[in-house]
Amino acid sequence: MRGASVLISGVGIAGPALAYWLQRYGFLPTLIERAPALRTTGYVIDFWGAGYDLTERMGLLPRVLAAGYRMREVRIVDDRGRPVGGFDADEFRAATDNRLTSLPRGALSEILYDAVAPLETIFGNSITSLTPHGDGVFVDFEHGPGRRFDLVIGADGLHSIVRALTFGAESRFERFLGYTVAAFEVAAYPVRDENVYVGYTVPGRQIARFALRHDRTMFLFIVADPAPPPFDPHDMTHHRAYLRERFGGAGWECDAILDALDAAEDIYFDRVSQIRLPRWSVDRIALVGDAACAPSLLAGQGSALAIIGAYVLAGELARAATPADAFAAYEGRLRAFIAGKQRSAATFGGAFAPRTRFGIWFRNLVTRAFALPGVARLAIGRSLADQIELPEYGAGNGTPGTLGRTGGSN
């Protein structure tokens, strides 16, 4: 199958990572992205484990670390800014053998995309139909003439176009976890705590800030919602109104942060959901990353799982005789592992935005206990462990090797 043309929809994390490995194995990938340019904004992720290990194997770890931050502390404050919970980030770092960094998701996407340049990339366009026939797939686009590819891969996230065209409506496979999330960044916010994630919680709502380089600050909002709110993900007027309604007058720095919202050039806004599909491929079309199996943003593992999935999918395509064989091997190797991550992630949201005052008090108490020797590692060590065996595809012999001693990132 080497030499096959592959259209990859999505230039986030999974898409460029998949293109990187496919190029190494002699395939001819093309990327398509509905946005007019590479998205370099977004929330800050904690990055460790198998995804971290694979970026090292790709030769990208120095750039990842240079773009990242060595977080010192997670600090939970009350309405007067006084610490009421949190923990020293070194406890997490020790649990990952010091193989952890925090970096903007957009920065990781940019690093991965730079690793495949120059590569044919179609920005500002989208797939409108997919027609498998014989040994290929004919693809129609929103703009321009259609083209034929040997394979089509959907790496286009939670709201995947490829998934919708191939498997049906998103509502059939989306599991809403009861939260809405938003994020933005601005320059010159007057309060900075370097390398400290500072969060404030009222029942069902959390707002947090993290100081970035170049005098910029990232803000993250999490809201407990009984049902997914209807919205257009590109409607910034709605996003601003939603955040002001829920956080206006809520105490701490909420009003000052909402004032800064006017200066935001872009706002990330979405519901917190998982994608659960009975299978990840049909004919010569397959899915990877959040398009196939989003664990949810709050799980803290989406980016690592996307990089792992891209590595496995490319490797199986490189050594299989047919797409069906490759897709079956890819899914067989990862499905149980991903399902376990999704089950764990479904319980995570309550720690970010407890719905009651008692829940907030208890969450703060637990985080303060992390200061006791060994408590943090006992509490979080298992959730960080990712002992997954991945084949050494590049060696050409399929010999399994252990990657991801500790795993996950968002």
Side-chain angles (χ1 to χ4, degrees):
M1 292 178 59
R2 295 171 189 250
S5 61
V6 185
L7 179 65
I8 304 169
S9 177
V11 186
I13 302 297
L18 178 62
Y20 172 90
W21 291 109
L22 288 177
Q23 280 186 317
R24 287 194 57 173
Y25 300 143
F27 289 78
L28 303 173
T30 296
L31 289 163
I32 182 169
E33 168 60 49
R34 73 181 84 179
L38 186 69
R39 293 184 174 113
T40 58
T41 59
Y43 47 91
V44 171
I45 63 173
D46 294 322
F47 189 62
W48 72 94
Y52 185 108
D53 293 344
L54 282 168
T55 58
E56 183 174 37
R57 177 174 294 199
M58 297 163 77
L60 304 178
L61 186 57
R63 282 198 63 188
V64 168
L65 295 178
Y69 298 82
R70 187 177 177 89
M71 190 179 295
R72 294 188 294 108
E73 176 189 356
V74 173
R75 183 186 303 158
I76 303 169
V77 300
D78 65 12
D79 59 356
R80 297 184 182 180
R82 299 172 299 193
V84 293
F87 49 87
D88 188 330
D90 281 344
E91 296 293 339
F92 279 83
R93 198 166 288 110
T96 66
D97 295 329
N98 203 36
R99 294 175 65 81
L100 178 150
T101 190
S102 301
L103 77 163
R105 187 180 185 276
L108 179 58
S109 175
E110 184 175 17
I111 290 166
L112 291 167
Y113 182 66
D114 286 350
V116 298
L119 175 72
E120 182 187 11
T121 306
I122 306 167
F123 283 109
N125 207 344
S126 186
I127 298 170
T128 58
S129 72
L130 296 168
T131 307
H133 63 93
D135 59 354
V137 182
F138 190 82
V139 183
D140 286 308
F141 301 107
E142 185 176 0
H143 307 293
R147 290 170 58 180
R148 178 204 168 277
F149 293 87
D150 294 316
L151 301 167
V152 174
I153 309 296
D156 41 356
L158 179 66
H159 308 297
S160 169
I161 291 173
V162 173
R163 186 183 63 238
L165 291 172
T166 306
F167 292 91
E170 183 174 293
S171 58
R172 297 173 54 193
F173 312 110
E174 179 183 6
R175 180 181 175 185
F176 177 61
L177 297 187
Y179 298 90
T180 298
V181 65
F184 71 91
E185 64 178 72
V186 296
Y189 185 73
V191 185
R192 293 178 66 85
D193 294 276
E194 302 294 340
N195 294 320
V196 178
Y197 180 93
V198 185
Y200 169 68
T201 312
V202 295
R205 291 163 289 167
Q206 175 172 286
I207 187 170
R209 58 172 165 80
F210 186 77
L212 304 175
R213 297 182 182 92
H214 312 300
D215 196 29
R216 299 189 67 82
T217 301
M218 184 276 300
F219 303 96
L220 179 68
F221 303 76
I222 301 167
V223 179
D225 273 319
F231 67 92
D232 176 347
H234 307 295
D235 184 356
M236 291 180 58
T237 300
H238 166 271
H239 306 343
R240 289 188 170 98
Y242 176 97
L243 295 175
R244 288 194 173 101
E245 178 184 349
R246 285 155 179 80
F247 290 91
W252 186 52
E253 300 172 16
C254 289
D255 288 344
I257 292 171
L258 292 174
D259 287 343
L261 179 60
D262 288 331
E265 298 176 359
D266 187 31
I267 302 172
Y268 173 86
F269 191 99
D270 210 344
R271 52 189 179 265
V272 177
S273 298
Q274 293 183 342
I275 294 298
R276 298 194 177 187
L277 284 163
R279 57 184 301 188
W280 299 340
S281 65
V282 172
D283 196 57
R284 287 175 168 261
I285 303 168
L287 304 172
V288 67
D290 282 355
C293 52
S296 87
L297 178 148
L298 298 183
Q301 301 193 23
S303 292
L305 296 180
I307 291 171
I308 294 167
Y311 173 79
V312 172
L313 177 55
E316 296 298 344
L317 284 169
R319 71 180 186 181
T322 68
D325 291 342
F327 294 156
Y330 153 66
E331 188 166 340
R333 191 173 294 281
L334 291 181
R335 179 168 279 278
F337 169 69
I338 296 292
K341 293 297 181 182
Q342 288 184 320
R343 287 192 296 270
S344 298
T347 66
F348 240 55
F352 286 90
R355 297 170 187 262
T356 66
R357 294 193 181 280
F358 174 80
I360 294 171
W361 172 84
F362 184 74
R363 186 274 312 272
N364 294 348
L365 179 67
V366 170
T367 61
R368 290 198 301 270
F370 284 1
L372 299 174
V375 171
R377 181 166 292 207
L378 179 65
I380 65 177
R382 179 173 293 183
S383 66
L384 295 179
D386 235 18
Q387 293 290 337
I388 178 171
E389 291 190 352
L390 300 176
E392 300 284 354
Y393 297 109
N397 56 15
T399 304
T402 300
L403 287 171
R405 293 180 298 277
T406 59
S409 85
N410 181 44

